[in-house]
Amino acid sequence: MKLKLKSCLVLLAVAGVLQTAQADTFYWNNASGGYWDDPASWTSGSGTGTYPGDASVTGSQYDNIGANKVNLPFTITLRKDERAYNYQAGDLKGTGSQTIDLGGHHLKLAYLQYTGCVIDPVAHNVIPVRRMEFRNGSFEVPNFIIGSWSTGTGGSIVFSDCTFTGRLEQAAVKSSIFVREGSTWVYPKGNVTDINIPFDYNSRTDWPGACLCITGANSRVEAPNNDLYVKHVRSGVYLFEGTSASFKDIIIGSTAASVDNVVDIRGAALEVSGDICLGTDNETSRGSKVLVSGAAAKVSGASLTAYDGEACALGLTIPASGFDKVGETDVARISIVRELFS
């Protein structure tokens, strides 16, 4: 009898631990915006917590955040460092931005999935009416997904004056990532997975691909151990004046039906430790391009491989006024794009 009683007590103790580890789920309900740690701005779907990260639950199953209950736009502001488990920012209503104002603090998630576009059911064209923006602080998530391949929906994620650490697990067609206003996107150290813009080939060639845009002085992407793939249809990576990026290899037009994909460097610095490939060895992708323009534009550390696909091009700009003199070296600048090979 004593042995049975002990067993029951152990089982009850384990059940109690499991119960306290159950994650809470929350939904934002404040159309006017508000503070992350204000319980009145959240609707609880399950659990006993008051807002995401209120420490009512600890461990790997921290707190979940579901689709919002109000129309865009709105801003959620942090007053201290916060954390949550899974942020499922889909099924958004209205147009504009869901902004997370970090307020100089740090937000840590275990997972983020965001879908912010809708599809015209007749023309199958993207309507990019919604975006999710993280600004003014630091943000960390091991893996994040933009959009859904199964539905052909993408989304737009924006980092503004923000330090972001995370791995892009999937960016579906019609997705975009903006690193701007001095933001930094750092790939996690030790992570050597590929960066795909977009994630994979989709048979709907009338659906546009995806883009990564780095803009604003000192904005940068740091992924020196990761290969960057730019593929599908009309996908692009754009570096604007005063920005920089580093990758291992860059492969433009990496699938058989890739068309008109580009890496466009305008007064920015790109460092590639390995190879820049235009097209693939199956020689069926078309229109892969690297364009370099602007007096401060710089591409360093890379070798260049071009396959015989149709209209692959390296574009440089040569100034109408000739050359500038830097010491004893003539330095070419910009005005006309010339195809050096095709």
Side-chain angles (χ1 to χ4, degrees):
M1 176 66 73
K2 184 181 290 186
L3 181 59
K4 288 183 179 179
L5 181 59
K6 279 187 175 181
S7 299
C8 290
L9 288 174
V10 170
L11 287 173
L12 287 171
V14 171
V17 170
L18 291 175
Q19 186 174 6
T20 58
Q22 180 65 40
D24 296 336
T25 300
F26 295 92
Y27 305 89
W28 185 258
N29 63 31
N30 190 341
S32 301
Y35 292 110
W36 180 288
D37 59 349
D38 179 6
S41 292
W42 297 95
T43 298
S44 178
S46 65
T48 58
T50 57
Y51 66 88
D54 64 355
S56 62
V57 177
T58 59
S60 62
Q61 295 296 318
Y62 213 64
D63 283 330
N64 295 312
I65 304 172
N68 304 295
K69 298 292 186 180
V70 295
N71 290 347
L72 299 171
F74 60 84
T75 299
I76 304 174
T77 303
L78 273 63
R79 292 190 281 198
K80 57 185 178 65
D81 293 351
E82 299 287 1
R83 63 174 291 184
Y85 181 63
N86 179 21
Y87 202 146
Q88 187 82 23
D91 300 324
L92 298 172
K93 305 172 180 66
T95 61
S97 177
Q98 173 184 343
T99 301
I100 309 295
D101 187 340
L102 299 163
H105 301 291
H106 183 74
L107 174 63
K108 182 176 182 178
L109 302 176
Y111 201 78
L112 171 67
Q113 182 169 3
Y114 174 72
T115 302
C117 293
V118 296
I119 301 299
D120 182 324
V122 177
H124 299 284
N125 292 324
V126 64
I127 307 173
V129 294
R130 305 169 187 132
R131 66 184 181 273
M132 190 173 192
E133 180 175 359
F134 297 87
R135 62 178 306 114
N136 187 28
S138 58
F139 171 48
E140 175 185 355
V141 59
N143 299 286
F144 72 104
I145 285 178
I146 309 175
S148 168
W149 276 104
S150 60
T151 59
T153 54
S156 182
I157 288 187
V158 180
F159 302 107
S160 301
D161 189 22
C162 175
T163 299
F164 168 59
T165 303
R167 167 184 172 261
L168 175 62
E169 181 174 324
Q170 174 180 310
V173 290
K174 315 178 194 73
S175 296
S176 57
I177 303 171
F178 290 86
V179 181
R180 66 179 193 176
E181 296 181 10
S183 293
T184 301
W185 176 9
V186 180
Y187 241 63
K189 290 183 178 179
N191 187 299
V192 294
T193 55
D194 300 333
I195 304 170
N196 290 281
I197 308 293
F199 174 70
D200 207 349
Y201 172 69
N202 190 295
S203 60
R204 290 300 304 257
T205 55
D206 55 333
W207 288 352
C211 78
L212 167 62
C213 181
I214 311 170
T215 181
N218 300 315
S219 297
R220 65 187 189 274
V221 174
E222 299 177 1
N225 299 312
N226 306 89
D227 294 339
L228 172 67
Y229 288 82
V230 187
K231 54 191 176 180
H232 190 54
V233 179
R234 300 187 303 280
S235 296
V237 174
Y238 303 90
L239 285 74
F240 290 100
E241 190 79 31
T243 67
S244 63
S246 60
F247 303 100
K248 183 181 176 183
D249 296 315
I250 296 179
I251 301 91
I252 307 166
S254 61
T255 52
S258 290
V259 179
D260 294 337
N261 298 298
V262 65
V263 172
D264 194 344
I265 305 152
R266 307 183 189 185
L270 174 64
E271 183 175 350
V272 180
S273 58
D275 196 17
I276 296 178
C277 293
L278 297 177
T280 61
D281 55 6
N282 58 39
E283 300 180 1
T284 59
S285 60
R286 307 188 308 276
S288 299
K289 293 180 176 65
V290 176
L291 304 178
V292 183
S293 62
K298 179 181 179 182
V299 180
S300 61
S303 59
L304 181 67
T305 301
Y307 293 92
D308 291 334
E310 180 184 342
C312 290
L314 171 65
L316 300 178
T317 309
I318 309 299
S321 56
F323 300 92
D324 283 357
K325 205 75 168 173
V326 178
E328 297 301 316
T329 306
D330 290 329
V331 180
R333 295 187 183 238
I334 304 288
S335 73
I336 319 167
V337 172
R338 295 182 178 177
E339 285 192 356
L340 299 188
F341 53 85
S342 63

Coordinates of all heavy atoms in Angstrom, one line a residue, residues 211-303:
C211 N 12.2 39.9 -52.6 CA 13.3 40.8 -52.6 C 13.8 41.1 -51.2 O 13.1 41.0 -50.2 CB 12.9 42.1 -53.3 SG 11.9 43.2 -52.3
L212 N 15.1 41.4 -51.2 CA 15.8 41.8 -50.0 C 16.3 43.2 -50.3 O 17.1 43.4 -51.3 CB 16.9 40.9 -49.6 CG 17.9 41.4 -48.6 CD1 17.2 41.7 -47.2 CD2 19.1 40.4 -48.4
C213 N 15.9 44.2 -49.6 CA 16.3 45.6 -49.8 C 17.1 46.2 -48.6 O 16.5 46.2 -47.5 CB 15.1 46.5 -50.2 SG 15.5 48.2 -50.5
I214 N 18.3 46.6 -48.8 CA 19.1 47.2 -47.8 C 19.3 48.7 -48.1 O 19.8 49.1 -49.1 CB 20.5 46.5 -47.6 CG1 20.3 45.0 -47.6 CG2 21.2 47.0 -46.4 CD1 21.6 44.3 -47.8
T215 N 18.7 49.6 -47.3 CA 18.7 51.0 -47.6 C 18.9 51.8 -46.3 O 18.6 51.4 -45.2 CB 17.4 51.4 -48.3 OG1 17.4 52.7 -48.6 CG2 16.2 51.1 -47.4
G216 N 19.5 53.0 -46.5 CA 19.8 53.9 -45.4 C 21.2 53.7 -44.9 O 21.7 52.6 -44.8
A217 N 21.9 54.8 -44.6 CA 23.3 54.8 -44.3 C 23.5 53.9 -43.1 O 22.8 53.8 -42.1 CB 23.7 56.2 -43.9
N218 N 24.6 53.0 -43.3 CA 25.1 52.1 -42.3 C 24.2 50.9 -42.1 O 24.5 50.1 -41.2 CB 25.3 52.8 -40.9 CG 26.3 53.9 -41.0 OD1 27.4 53.7 -41.7 ND2 26.0 55.1 -40.5
S219 N 23.1 50.7 -42.9 CA 22.3 49.5 -42.8 C 23.2 48.4 -43.4 O 23.9 48.6 -44.4 CB 21.0 49.6 -43.6 OG 20.2 50.6 -43.0
R220 N 23.1 47.2 -42.8 CA 23.9 46.1 -43.4 C 23.3 44.7 -43.0 O 22.5 44.6 -42.1 CB 25.3 46.2 -42.8 CG 25.5 46.0 -41.3 CD 26.9 46.3 -40.9 NE 27.2 45.9 -39.5 CZ 27.0 46.7 -38.5 NH1 26.4 47.9 -38.7 NH2 27.2 46.3 -37.3
V221 N 23.8 43.7 -43.8 CA 23.4 42.3 -43.6 C 24.7 41.6 -43.4 O 25.6 41.7 -44.3 CB 22.6 41.7 -44.7 CG1 22.4 40.2 -44.5 CG2 21.3 42.4 -44.8
E222 N 24.9 40.8 -42.3 CA 26.1 40.1 -42.0 C 25.8 38.6 -42.0 O 25.3 38.1 -41.1 CB 26.7 40.5 -40.7 CG 27.1 42.0 -40.6 CD 27.5 42.4 -39.2 OE1 27.6 41.5 -38.3 OE2 27.8 43.6 -39.0
A223 N 26.2 38.0 -43.1 CA 26.0 36.5 -43.3 C 27.2 35.9 -44.0 O 27.1 35.3 -45.1 CB 24.7 36.2 -44.0
P224 N 28.4 36.1 -43.5 CA 29.6 35.7 -44.2 C 29.8 34.2 -44.4 O 30.6 33.7 -45.2 CB 30.8 36.3 -43.3 CG 30.2 36.3 -41.9 CD 28.7 36.7 -42.1
N225 N 29.0 33.4 -43.6 CA 29.1 31.9 -43.7 C 28.0 31.3 -44.5 O 27.8 30.1 -44.5 CB 29.2 31.3 -42.3 CG 30.4 31.8 -41.6 OD1 31.5 31.8 -42.1 ND2 30.2 32.2 -40.3
N226 N 27.1 32.1 -45.1 CA 25.9 31.7 -45.7 C 25.9 32.0 -47.2 O 26.2 33.1 -47.6 CB 24.7 32.3 -45.0 CG 24.7 32.1 -43.5 OD1 25.3 32.9 -42.8 ND2 24.1 31.0 -43.1
D227 N 25.4 31.0 -48.0 CA 25.2 31.3 -49.5 C 23.8 32.0 -49.7 O 22.8 31.7 -49.0 CB 25.2 30.0 -50.2 CG 26.5 29.3 -50.2 OD1 27.5 30.0 -50.0 OD2 26.6 28.0 -50.4
L228 N 23.8 32.9 -50.6 CA 22.6 33.6 -51.0 C 22.1 33.2 -52.3 O 22.9 33.2 -53.3 CB 22.9 35.1 -51.0 CG 21.7 36.0 -51.5 CD1 20.5 36.0 -50.6 CD2 22.2 37.5 -51.7
Y229 N 20.9 32.7 -52.4 CA 20.3 32.3 -53.7 C 19.2 33.3 -54.1 O 18.3 33.5 -53.3 CB 19.7 30.9 -53.6 CG 20.7 29.8 -53.5 CD1 21.3 29.5 -52.3 CD2 21.1 29.1 -54.6 CE1 22.3 28.5 -52.2 CE2 22.0 28.0 -54.6 CZ 22.6 27.8 -53.4 OH 23.6 26.8 -53.3
V230 N 19.2 33.8 -55.3 CA 18.2 34.7 -55.8 C 17.6 34.1 -57.0 O 18.3 33.8 -58.0 CB 18.9 36.1 -56.2 CG1 17.8 37.1 -56.6 CG2 19.7 36.6 -55.1
K231 N 16.3 33.7 -57.0 CA 15.7 32.9 -58.0 C 14.3 33.1 -58.2 O 13.7 34.1 -57.7 CB 16.0 31.4 -57.6 CG 15.5 31.1 -56.2 CD 16.0 29.7 -55.7 CE 15.6 29.4 -54.3 NZ 16.0 28.0 -53.9
H232 N 13.6 32.2 -58.9 CA 12.2 32.3 -59.4 C 12.1 33.3 -60.5 O 12.9 33.3 -61.4 CB 11.3 32.5 -58.2 CG 9.8 32.3 -58.6 ND1 9.4 31.2 -59.2 CD2 8.8 33.2 -58.5 CE1 8.1 31.3 -59.4 NE2 7.7 32.5 -59.0
V233 N 11.2 34.3 -60.4 CA 10.9 35.3 -61.4 C 11.0 36.7 -60.8 O 10.2 37.0 -59.9 CB 9.5 35.0 -62.0 CG1 9.2 36.1 -63.1 CG2 9.4 33.6 -62.6
R234 N 11.9 37.5 -61.4 CA 12.0 38.9 -61.0 C 12.2 39.1 -59.5 O 11.7 40.0 -58.8 CB 10.7 39.7 -61.4 CG 10.5 39.7 -62.9 CD 9.4 40.6 -63.3 NE 8.1 40.3 -62.7 CZ 7.3 39.4 -63.0 NH1 7.6 38.6 -64.0 NH2 6.1 39.2 -62.4
S235 N 13.1 38.2 -58.9 CA 13.5 38.4 -57.5 C 14.8 39.3 -57.6 O 15.5 39.4 -58.5 CB 13.9 37.1 -56.9 OG 12.7 36.2 -56.8
G236 N 15.0 40.0 -56.4 CA 16.2 40.9 -56.4 C 16.7 41.1 -55.0 O 16.0 41.0 -54.0
V237 N 18.0 41.4 -55.0 CA 18.7 41.9 -53.8 C 19.3 43.3 -54.1 O 20.0 43.4 -55.1 CB 19.8 40.9 -53.3 CG1 20.6 41.5 -52.1 CG2 19.2 39.6 -52.9
Y238 N 18.9 44.3 -53.3 CA 19.2 45.7 -53.6 C 20.0 46.3 -52.5 O 19.5 46.3 -51.3 CB 18.0 46.5 -53.9 CG 17.1 45.9 -55.0 CD1 16.1 45.0 -54.8 CD2 17.4 46.3 -56.4 CE1 15.4 44.4 -55.8 CE2 16.6 45.7 -57.4 CZ 15.6 44.8 -57.1 OH 14.9 44.3 -58.1
L239 N 21.2 46.8 -52.8 CA 22.0 47.5 -51.8 C 22.1 49.0 -52.2 O 22.6 49.3 -53.3 CB 23.4 46.9 -51.7 CG 23.6 45.6 -50.9 CD1 23.1 44.4 -51.8 CD2 25.0 45.4 -50.6
F240 N 21.6 49.9 -51.4 CA 21.6 51.3 -51.8 C 22.7 52.0 -51.1 O 23.4 51.5 -50.2 CB 20.2 51.9 -51.5 CG 19.2 51.4 -52.4 CD1 18.3 50.4 -52.0 CD2 19.0 51.9 -53.7 CE1 17.3 50.0 -52.9 CE2 18.1 51.5 -54.6 CZ 17.2 50.5 -54.2
E241 N 22.9 53.3 -51.4 CA 24.0 54.2 -51.0 C 24.3 54.0 -49.5 O 23.4 54.2 -48.7 CB 23.7 55.6 -51.3 CG 24.8 56.6 -51.1 CD 25.8 56.6 -52.3 OE1 25.4 56.3 -53.4 OE2 27.0 56.8 -52.1
G242 N 25.6 53.8 -49.2 CA 26.0 53.7 -47.8 C 25.7 52.5 -47.0 O 25.9 52.4 -45.8
T243 N 25.2 51.4 -47.7 CA 24.9 50.2 -47.0 C 26.0 49.1 -47.4 O 26.9 49.3 -48.2 CB 23.5 49.6 -47.5 OG1 23.6 49.3 -48.9 CG2 22.5 50.7 -47.3
S244 N 25.9 48.0 -46.7 CA 26.9 46.9 -47.0 C 26.2 45.5 -46.7 O 25.2 45.4 -46.0 CB 28.1 47.1 -46.2 OG 27.8 47.0 -44.8
A245 N 26.8 44.5 -47.3 CA 26.4 43.1 -47.0 C 27.6 42.2 -47.2 O 28.5 42.5 -48.0 CB 25.2 42.8 -47.9
S246 N 27.5 41.1 -46.5 CA 28.6 40.0 -46.7 C 27.9 38.7 -46.8 O 27.0 38.4 -46.0 CB 29.6 40.1 -45.6 OG 29.0 39.9 -44.3
F247 N 28.3 37.8 -47.8 CA 27.8 36.5 -47.9 C 29.0 35.6 -48.3 O 30.1 36.1 -48.6 CB 26.8 36.4 -49.0 CG 25.6 37.3 -48.8 CD1 25.5 38.6 -49.5 CD2 24.6 37.0 -47.9 CE1 24.4 39.4 -49.2 CE2 23.5 37.8 -47.7 CZ 23.4 39.0 -48.4
K248 N 28.8 34.3 -48.3 CA 29.8 33.3 -48.8 C 29.8 33.3 -50.3 O 30.7 33.7 -51.0 CB 29.6 32.0 -48.1 CG 30.6 30.9 -48.5 CD 30.3 29.6 -47.9 CE 31.3 28.5 -48.3 NZ 31.0 27.2 -47.7
D249 N 28.7 32.7 -50.9 CA 28.6 32.7 -52.3 C 27.2 33.3 -52.7 O 26.3 33.3 -51.8 CB 28.5 31.2 -52.9 CG 29.8 30.5 -52.7 OD1 30.9 31.1 -53.0 OD2 29.8 29.3 -52.2
I250 N 27.1 33.8 -53.9 CA 25.8 34.4 -54.4 C 25.5 33.7 -55.7 O 26.3 33.7 -56.6 CB 25.9 35.9 -54.6 CG1 26.1 36.6 -53.2 CG2 24.6 36.4 -55.2 CD1 26.2 38.1 -53.3
I251 N 24.4 33.1 -55.7 CA 23.9 32.3 -56.9 C 22.7 33.0 -57.4 O 21.6 33.0 -56.8 CB 23.7 30.8 -56.7 CG1 25.0 30.2 -56.1 CG2 23.2 30.1 -58.0 CD1 25.1 30.2 -54.6
I252 N 22.7 33.6 -58.6 CA 21.6 34.3 -59.2 C 21.0 33.5 -60.3 O 21.7 33.2 -61.3 CB 22.0 35.7 -59.7 CG1 22.8 36.5 -58.6 CG2 20.8 36.6 -60.2 CD1 23.6 37.6 -59.1
G253 N 19.7 33.2 -60.2 CA 19.1 32.3 -61.2 C 19.4 30.9 -61.0 O 19.9 30.2 -61.8
S254 N 19.1 30.4 -59.8 CA 19.6 29.1 -59.4 C 18.7 27.9 -59.7 O 19.0 26.8 -59.3 CB 20.0 29.1 -57.9 OG 18.8 29.3 -57.1
T255 N 17.5 28.2 -60.3 CA 16.6 27.1 -60.7 C 16.4 27.2 -62.2 O 16.6 28.2 -62.8 CB 15.2 27.3 -60.0 OG1 14.7 28.6 -60.2 CG2 15.4 27.0 -58.5
A256 N 16.0 26.1 -62.7 CA 15.9 25.9 -64.2 C 15.1 27.0 -64.9 O 15.4 27.4 -66.0 CB 15.4 24.5 -64.5
A257 N 14.0 27.4 -64.2 CA 13.1 28.4 -64.8 C 13.2 29.8 -64.3 O 12.3 30.6 -64.4 CB 11.6 27.9 -64.7
S258 N 14.3 30.1 -63.7 CA 14.6 31.4 -63.1 C 14.7 32.4 -64.2 O 15.3 32.2 -65.3 CB 15.8 31.4 -62.3 OG 15.7 30.7 -61.1
V259 N 14.0 33.6 -64.1 CA 14.0 34.6 -65.1 C 14.1 36.0 -64.5 O 13.5 36.3 -63.5 CB 12.6 34.6 -65.9 CG1 12.6 35.7 -66.9 CG2 12.4 33.2 -66.5
D260 N 15.1 36.8 -65.0 CA 15.2 38.2 -64.7 C 15.4 38.4 -63.2 O 14.8 39.3 -62.6 CB 14.0 39.0 -65.2 CG 13.9 39.0 -66.7 OD1 15.0 38.8 -67.4 OD2 12.8 39.2 -67.2
N261 N 16.4 37.7 -62.6 CA 16.8 37.9 -61.2 C 18.0 38.8 -61.2 O 18.9 38.7 -62.1 CB 17.0 36.6 -60.5 CG 15.7 35.8 -60.5 OD1 14.7 36.2 -59.9 ND2 15.8 34.6 -61.1
V262 N 18.2 39.6 -60.1 CA 19.2 40.6 -60.1 C 19.8 40.8 -58.7 O 19.1 40.7 -57.7 CB 18.7 42.0 -60.7 CG1 17.6 42.5 -59.8 CG2 19.8 43.0 -60.9
V263 N 21.1 41.1 -58.6 CA 21.7 41.8 -57.5 C 22.2 43.1 -57.9 O 23.0 43.2 -58.8 CB 22.9 40.9 -56.9 CG1 23.6 41.7 -55.9 CG2 22.4 39.6 -56.4
D264 N 21.6 44.2 -57.3 CA 21.8 45.6 -57.7 C 22.6 46.3 -56.6 O 22.0 46.5 -55.5 CB 20.5 46.2 -58.0 CG 20.6 47.5 -58.8 OD1 21.7 48.1 -58.8 OD2 19.6 47.9 -59.4
I265 N 23.8 46.8 -56.9 CA 24.6 47.4 -55.9 C 24.8 48.9 -56.3 O 25.5 49.2 -57.3 CB 26.0 46.7 -55.8 CG1 25.8 45.2 -55.6 CG2 26.9 47.4 -54.8 CD1 26.9 44.4 -56.1
R266 N 24.2 49.8 -55.6 CA 24.2 51.2 -55.9 C 24.9 52.0 -54.9 O 24.3 52.4 -53.8 CB 22.8 51.7 -56.1 CG 22.0 50.9 -57.1 CD 20.6 51.5 -57.3 NE 19.7 50.6 -58.1 CZ 18.5 50.9 -58.5 NH1 18.0 52.1 -58.2 NH2 17.7 50.0 -59.1
G267 N 26.2 52.3 -55.0 CA 26.9 53.1 -54.1 C 27.1 52.3 -52.8 O 27.2 53.0 -51.7
A268 N 27.1 51.0 -52.8 CA 27.2 50.2 -51.6 C 28.4 49.3 -51.6 O 29.0 49.2 -52.7 CB 25.9 49.4 -51.4
A269 N 28.6 48.5 -50.6 CA 29.7 47.6 -50.5 C 29.2 46.2 -50.3 O 28.4 45.9 -49.4 CB 30.7 48.0 -49.3
L270 N 29.7 45.3 -51.2 CA 29.3 43.9 -51.1 C 30.6 43.1 -51.0 O 31.5 43.2 -51.8 CB 28.5 43.4 -52.4 CG 28.2 41.9 -52.5 CD1 27.3 41.5 -51.4 CD2 27.6 41.6 -53.9
E271 N 30.6 42.2 -50.0 CA 31.8 41.3 -49.8 C 31.3 39.9 -49.9 O 30.4 39.4 -49.3 CB 32.4 41.5 -48.4 CG 33.7 40.7 -48.2 CD 34.3 41.0 -46.9 OE1 34.0 42.0 -46.2 OE2 35.3 40.3 -46.5
V272 N 32.0 39.2 -50.9 CA 31.6 37.8 -51.1 C 32.9 37.0 -51.0 O 33.9 37.2 -51.8 CB 31.0 37.6 -52.5 CG1 30.7 36.1 -52.7 CG2 29.7 38.4 -52.6
S273 N 33.0 36.0 -50.1 CA 34.3 35.3 -49.9 C 34.5 34.2 -50.9 O 35.6 33.7 -51.1 CB 34.3 34.7 -48.5 OG 33.2 33.8 -48.3
G274 N 33.4 33.8 -51.6 CA 33.5 32.7 -52.5 C 33.3 33.2 -54.0 O 34.1 33.9 -54.5
D275 N 32.1 32.8 -54.5 CA 31.9 33.0 -55.9 C 30.5 33.7 -56.2 O 29.6 33.5 -55.4 CB 31.8 31.6 -56.6 CG 31.9 31.6 -58.1 OD1 32.4 32.7 -58.6 OD2 31.6 30.6 -58.8
I276 N 30.5 34.5 -57.2 CA 29.2 35.0 -57.7 C 28.9 34.3 -59.0 O 29.7 34.3 -59.9 CB 29.3 36.5 -58.0 CG1 29.5 37.3 -56.7 CG2 28.0 37.0 -58.6 CD1 29.6 38.8 -56.9
C277 N 27.8 33.5 -59.0 CA 27.4 32.8 -60.2 C 26.2 33.4 -60.8 O 25.2 33.7 -60.2 CB 27.0 31.3 -59.8 SG 28.4 30.4 -59.1
L278 N 26.3 33.6 -62.1 CA 25.2 34.1 -62.9 C 24.6 32.9 -63.7 O 25.3 32.3 -64.6 CB 25.6 35.1 -63.9 CG 26.1 36.4 -63.3 CD1 26.6 37.4 -64.4 CD2 25.1 37.1 -62.5
G279 N 23.4 32.4 -63.4 CA 22.8 31.3 -64.0 C 23.3 30.0 -63.3 O 23.9 30.0 -62.2
T280 N 23.0 28.9 -63.9 CA 23.3 27.6 -63.3 C 23.9 26.7 -64.4 O 23.8 27.0 -65.6 CB 22.1 26.9 -62.7 OG1 21.1 26.7 -63.7 CG2 21.5 27.7 -61.6
D281 N 24.4 25.5 -64.0 CA 25.0 24.7 -65.0 C 24.0 23.9 -65.9 O 24.4 23.3 -66.9 CB 26.0 23.6 -64.3 CG 25.2 22.8 -63.3 OD1 24.0 23.0 -63.1 OD2 25.9 22.0 -62.6
N282 N 22.7 24.1 -65.6 CA 21.7 23.5 -66.5 C 21.4 24.5 -67.7 O 20.8 24.1 -68.6 CB 20.4 23.1 -65.8 CG 19.8 24.3 -65.1 OD1 19.8 25.4 -65.6 ND2 19.2 24.0 -63.9
E283 N 22.0 25.7 -67.6 CA 21.9 26.7 -68.7 C 20.6 27.0 -69.2 O 20.4 27.3 -70.4 CB 22.9 26.2 -69.8 CG 24.3 26.1 -69.4 CD 25.2 25.6 -70.5 OE1 24.7 25.4 -71.6 OE2 26.4 25.4 -70.2
T284 N 19.6 26.9 -68.3 CA 18.2 27.3 -68.8 C 17.6 28.5 -68.1 O 16.6 29.0 -68.5 CB 17.2 26.1 -68.5 OG1 17.3 25.8 -67.1 CG2 17.7 24.9 -69.3
S285 N 18.2 29.0 -67.0 CA 17.8 30.2 -66.4 C 18.1 31.4 -67.4 O 19.0 31.3 -68.2 CB 18.4 30.4 -65.1 OG 19.8 30.5 -65.2
R286 N 17.3 32.5 -67.3 CA 17.5 33.6 -68.2 C 17.6 34.9 -67.4 O 16.9 35.1 -66.4 CB 16.3 33.7 -69.2 CG 16.1 32.4 -69.9 CD 15.0 32.5 -71.0 NE 13.8 33.1 -70.6 CZ 12.8 32.5 -70.0 NH1 12.9 31.2 -69.7 NH2 11.7 33.1 -69.6
G287 N 18.4 35.8 -67.9 CA 18.4 37.2 -67.4 C 18.9 37.4 -66.1 O 18.6 38.4 -65.4
S288 N 19.9 36.6 -65.6 CA 20.6 36.8 -64.3 C 21.6 37.9 -64.5 O 22.4 38.0 -65.4 CB 21.3 35.5 -63.9 OG 20.4 34.4 -63.7
K289 N 21.5 38.9 -63.5 CA 22.3 40.1 -63.6 C 23.0 40.5 -62.3 O 22.4 40.4 -61.3 CB 21.5 41.3 -64.2 CG 21.0 41.1 -65.6 CD 20.2 42.3 -66.0 CE 19.7 42.2 -67.5 NZ 18.8 41.0 -67.7
V290 N 24.2 41.1 -62.4 CA 24.8 41.8 -61.3 C 25.0 43.2 -61.9 O 25.7 43.4 -62.9 CB 26.1 41.2 -60.9 CG1 26.8 42.2 -59.8 CG2 26.0 39.9 -60.3
L291 N 24.4 44.2 -61.2 CA 24.6 45.6 -61.6 C 25.3 46.4 -60.5 O 25.0 46.3 -59.4 CB 23.2 46.3 -61.8 CG 22.3 45.5 -62.8 CD1 20.9 46.2 -62.9 CD2 22.9 45.5 -64.2
V292 N 26.3 47.1 -60.9 CA 27.2 47.9 -60.0 C 27.2 49.3 -60.5 O 27.6 49.6 -61.6 CB 28.6 47.3 -59.9 CG1 29.4 48.1 -58.9 CG2 28.6 45.8 -59.6
S293 N 26.8 50.3 -59.6 CA 26.8 51.7 -60.0 C 27.0 52.5 -58.7 O 26.9 52.1 -57.6 CB 25.4 52.1 -60.6 OG 24.4 51.9 -59.7
G294 N 27.4 53.8 -58.9 CA 27.7 54.7 -57.8 C 29.2 54.8 -57.5 O 29.9 53.8 -57.6
A295 N 29.6 56.0 -57.2 CA 31.0 56.3 -56.9 C 31.6 55.5 -55.8 O 32.8 55.1 -55.8 CB 31.2 57.8 -56.6
A296 N 30.8 55.1 -54.8 CA 31.2 54.4 -53.6 C 31.0 52.9 -53.7 O 31.3 52.1 -52.8 CB 30.6 54.9 -52.4
A297 N 30.5 52.4 -54.9 CA 30.2 51.0 -55.0 C 31.4 50.2 -55.0 O 32.5 50.5 -55.6 CB 29.4 50.8 -56.3
K298 N 31.4 49.0 -54.3 CA 32.5 48.2 -54.2 C 32.1 46.7 -54.1 O 31.2 46.4 -53.3 CB 33.3 48.6 -53.0 CG 34.6 47.7 -52.7 CD 35.3 48.2 -51.4 CE 36.5 47.4 -51.2 NZ 37.2 47.8 -49.9
V299 N 32.7 45.8 -54.8 CA 32.5 44.4 -54.7 C 33.9 43.8 -54.5 O 34.8 44.0 -55.3 CB 31.8 43.8 -56.0 CG1 31.7 42.3 -55.8 CG2 30.5 44.4 -56.3
S300 N 34.0 43.1 -53.4 CA 35.3 42.5 -53.0 C 35.3 41.1 -52.7 O 34.2 40.5 -52.3 CB 35.9 43.3 -51.8 OG 35.0 43.2 -50.7
G301 N 36.4 40.4 -52.9 CA 36.6 39.0 -52.4 C 36.0 38.0 -53.3 O 36.1 36.8 -52.9
A302 N 35.4 38.3 -54.4 CA 34.6 37.3 -55.2 C 35.2 37.0 -56.5 O 35.8 37.8 -57.2 CB 33.2 37.9 -55.4
S303 N 35.1 35.7 -56.9 CA 35.3 35.3 -58.3 C 34.0 35.3 -59.0 O 32.9 35.3 -58.3 CB 36.0 33.9 -58.3 OG 35.1 33.0 -57.7

